[in-house]
Amino acid sequence: MECERGQTKWQFRQKSSFTAGNLAVRAVVNKVMENVDNSNGKPIIALGNGDPSKFSCFRISERAEDAIVSAVRSAKYNGYAFSAGMPCARSAIAEYLNKDLPYKLSPDDVYATIGCSQAIEILLSVLARPGANILLPRPGYPYYEARAALSKLEVRHFNLVPERGWEVDLDNVYALADENTVAMVIINPGNPCGNVLSYPHLKKVR
Ligand SMILES: Cc1ncc(COP(=O)(O)O)c(C=O)c1O
């Protein structure tokens, strides 16, 4: 704040290069695709497709669409929801996940977020404490490193092994983990490699 002739002048300034649109990784992918030279007639495979809705096989079921429409039309859910998710949604999620789990989740174990970024925000803030470290996959999704730095969590990278379908290098994990390790991040299906870890391998990780 600066005072000029007895008046208060705010110092907010627009930073032209800083907009929500050009911060997204999608903006970088689009820029790369715009600059690809396709004059030699070779087919171009876009490896930056992150949106499944572009493919008809990923269309959600009519039942799910109808449920969304009827929830909107009912006007029962227009208010301010619980920040951890609506109780009925959390019960439904717990019930669904319980089909495949060797233990039982209660609705209180479920925290619904508006996407992975919010989940990362919440989890890393909760896990951070002085001296703590977190194990992240390499290669991985960069937001985890950025958010860990914000919470002053030490990051330790474990390798994914390309020759074994990007499985976790378990020896590497054993070597890195210690009593201050608060979590290990498994991205499955993997980003950026797109691999899916097998159940036997996931059991070993657990
Ligand atoms: C591993 C991983 N974490 C987090 C995110 C961010 O997710 P969201 O866009 O739902 O916030 C993504 C998005 O692709 C992701 O692949």
Side-chain angles (χ1 to χ4, degrees), residues 35 37 46 146 198:
N35 285 293
D37 175 13
S198 68

Side-chain angles (χ1 to χ4, degrees), residues 1-2 16 21 40 47 69 74 95 121 128 155 171:
M1 200 166 58
E2 181 188 89
S16 56
N40 59 12
L47 295 175
V69 171
S74 74
E95 200 181 310
E121 297 272 335
V155 168
D171 292 335

Side-chain angles (χ1 to χ4, degrees), residues 25-26 50 113-120 140-144 185-192:
V25 73
R26 181 103 340 247
T113 63
I114 50 161
C116 297
S117 301
Q118 194 198 358
I120 297 168
Y141 185 80
Y143 188 54
Y144 294 84
V185 171
I186 303 281
I187 302 174
N188 192 36
N191 186 351

Side-chain angles (χ1 to χ4, degrees), residues 4 6 13 15 62 65-66 99 102 160 173-174 181:
E4 230 179 46
R13 281 203 191 96
K15 203 171 167 213
E62 237 173 83
E65 288 175 352
D66 291 344
K99 287 184 201 149
L160 303 180
V173 172
Y174 289 127
T181 303

Side-chain angles (χ1 to χ4, degrees), residues 1-2 7-13:
M1 200 166 58
E2 181 188 89
Q7 282 190 333
T8 302
K9 195 174 166 202
W10 295 99
Q11 293 293 300
F12 299 136
R13 281 203 191 96

Side-chain angles (χ1 to χ4, degrees), residues 74-115:
S74 74
K76 283 188 198 158
Y77 307 102
N78 293 346
Y80 197 91
F82 290 95
S83 48
M86 302 183 74
C88 56
R90 291 161 71 198
S91 296
I93 294 167
E95 200 181 310
Y96 176 78
L97 294 175
N98 280 339
K99 287 184 201 149
D100 290 321
L101 287 173
Y103 48 86
K104 291 283 162 238
L105 292 175
S106 85
D108 280 343
D109 295 318
V110 176
Y111 195 118
T113 63
I114 50 161

